[in-house]
Amino acid sequence: LAARVVFSGIQPTGVPHIGNYIGALKQWVDLQRDEASSTKLMYCVVDLHAITTKQDPVQLRLRKREVLASLLAVGIDPDRSTVFYQSSVPAHSELMWILACTASVGYLSRMTQWKTKLNISGVSGLSDKSVGTNLKLGLFSYPVLQAADILVHRATHVPVGDDQKQHLEFARECVTNFNSAYGDHLVHPETITPPAKRVMSLAQPTTKMSKSHKSDRSRILLSDSPQEIRTKISYALTDSLPGISYDPKERPGISNLLEICSIFDAAGRDVNNLANECADMQPRVFKEFVSDTIISGLDGVRDRYLDLMKRSDNYLAKVEEHGAERARQSAQETMDIVKSAIGF
Ligand code: ADP
Ligand code: NA
């Protein structure tokens, strides 16, 4: 069994935006270079998680392909990294059931995301009231599936943002519960903290860029054409103060554009450097500069993405099948140990 195993997942919600790239995917790519070659890197498109909310089958199938193509386009190497769809590896669901049998309902019902969901539907806690709601059991128990995703591959390191820290803590709780019932078999995963960089919405730069924001213009997708990027940047909300300066509090829109620029800048300049460079620019000129920087930064990504989606030789399906085969083997090693410990 490998000494270090990194596991991370991405929802099949279509082509990622540049926030997803900077906050997650870029780190996945960088790990291929920074981790020793003995480290297993596992990147999973989590389609089982996706169906906790209603999905159209045709859309779901398309979005899985779009995400897979995006991963390859940004530089995930399917030989170095194990890339697969969650539903291709039945052991994720199988281990979930086993973990569910030692997981605490109380712990799950105290988790923030569940409480948020309950509050949205007007219920306060897992009480008699929640019995009457339309909230699904899968939504309540999805942290258990998330724990299974990680534990079934004996992941030692999981890149997670702040919003997911509680879920990793729950996965560790699942390890403790299982191990105290059946012996020291599952591995406690640790977090790897992704770069703190947050890309903000172009339409509302005090909130993060997100696919749930209603305006398409609020985010730039990895597949956007140069003209789409120019249009979105030209509509980006800024301010009427003169010149360009970096000041996230007073000038969130301009500062967000400077941040985005610093990420895609070929010369690797930081925000302060770029702010100096652009200090005297008119807003329109500055936005052209921002657009040019993003367009050249994403140039190869978009072309590779379009190529991969166009290929008719089932290339993406073959890549996924190759990853799924490796992931099934990795999961099997754990399931053998787990089942024998339980008495199956
Ligand atoms: P969304 O907010 O668009 O629904 P997800 O919640 O699916 O995105 O996030 C997928 C990954 O991308 C997570 O690791 C998350 O931390 C990261 N991420 C999402 N939005 C941003 C953003 N605006 N800036 C930086 N990272 C982000
Ligand atoms: Na989200």
Side-chain angles (χ1 to χ4, degrees), residues 208 210-212:
K208 69 164 200 162
S210 171
K211 62 183 165 277
S212 12

Side-chain angles (χ1 to χ4, degrees), residues 11 17 19-20 23-24 161 163 197-199 208-212:
Q11 292 265 356
H17 52 71
N20 301 135
D163 48 342
K197 287 215 164 95
R198 280 255 145 151
V199 179
K208 69 164 200 162
M209 182 177 287
S210 171
K211 62 183 165 277
S212 12

Side-chain angles (χ1 to χ4, degrees), residues 16-302:
H17 52 71
I18 58 173
N20 301 135
Y21 174 66
I22 287 149
L25 303 185
K26 188 176 182 303
Q27 186 189 30
W28 294 13
V29 174
D30 291 347
L31 287 169
Q32 298 182 134
R33 179 198 61 208
D34 298 341
E35 285 284 329
S37 59
S38 59
T39 301
K40 266 210 271 186
L41 301 174
M42 314 211 55
Y43 300 130
C44 180
V45 180
V46 293
D47 52 359
L48 296 173
H49 285 288
I51 63 164
T52 52
T53 56
K54 192 168 170 12
Q55 301 286 333
D56 172 75
V58 175
Q59 283 295 313
L60 180 59
R61 209 166 282 127
L62 172 64
R63 290 188 166 148
K64 286 166 62 174
R65 290 185 73 237
E66 289 176 339
V67 170
L68 178 60
S70 301
L71 294 185
L72 304 183
V74 298
I76 300 293
D77 168 0
D79 289 318
R80 171 67 186 93
S81 302
T82 302
V83 186
F84 63 104
Y85 297 147
Q86 190 182 23
S87 62
S88 301
V89 185
H92 285 241
S93 310
E94 196 179 7
L95 184 60
M96 179 197 173
W97 174 255
I98 292 169
L99 295 177
C101 293
T102 52
S104 147
V105 167
Y107 195 124
L108 276 170
S109 60
R110 284 191 296 275
M111 292 179 75
T112 321
Q113 288 201 354
W114 173 249
K115 285 205 218 155
T116 309
K117 300 268 157 59
L118 283 176
N119 284 336
I120 290 165
S121 56
V123 184
S124 59
L126 185 70
S127 61
D128 284 353
K129 278 200 241 164
S130 59
V131 174
T133 72
N134 211 18
L135 285 165
K136 306 301 182 218
L137 180 59
L139 195 62
F140 176 66
S141 58
Y142 95 79
V144 189
L145 180 57
Q146 222 169 26
D149 297 338
I150 297 165
L151 304 181
V152 82
H153 297 293
R154 316 179 73 69
T156 55
H157 294 84
V158 183
V160 284
D162 280 343
D163 48 342
Q164 292 296 318
K165 286 237 164 76
Q166 208 176 36
H167 289 174
L168 199 82
E169 208 38 61
F170 177 74
R172 296 169 57 78
E173 175 80 4
C174 288
V175 174
T176 302
N177 292 343
F178 181 90
N179 286 357
S180 67
Y182 295 112
D184 214 3
H185 300 297
L186 294 178
V187 178
H188 279 98
E190 289 171 32
T191 53
I192 314 180
T193 310
K197 287 215 164 95
R198 280 255 145 151
V199 179
M200 308 309 274
S201 158
L202 299 178
Q204 203 185 329
T206 48
T207 64
K208 69 164 200 162
M209 182 177 287
S210 171
K211 62 183 165 277
S212 12
H213 198 289
K214 59 188 178 309
S215 162
D216 282 349
R217 280 185 185 148
S218 70
R219 57 188 164 267
I220 291 174
L221 303 183
L222 296 179
S223 60
D224 280 349
S225 69
Q227 193 47 57
E228 284 168 317
I229 293 173
R230 285 188 200 288
T231 303
K232 288 176 181 180
I233 294 295
S234 77
Y235 281 103
L237 186 70
T238 52
D239 56 54
S240 49
L241 297 174
I244 302 303
S245 56
Y246 183 71
D247 182 349
K249 281 241 150 49
E250 299 298 324
R251 311 192 71 185
I254 294 284
S255 302
N256 186 39
L257 294 179
L258 285 166
E259 292 275 10
I260 293 170
C261 258
S262 76
I263 284 140
F264 290 108
D265 184 49
R269 287 169 291 189
D270 66 16
V271 282
N272 295 313
N273 263 318
L274 287 165
N276 281 336
E277 201 86 17
C278 304
D280 302 322
M281 285 182 184
Q282 297 297 317
R284 193 182 48 78
V285 177
F286 174 63
K287 284 179 164 182
E288 271 164 24
F289 171 76
V290 174
S291 301
D292 289 340
T293 305
I294 301 170
I295 290 164
S296 48
L298 286 181
D299 194 23
V301 173
R302 169 180 153 80

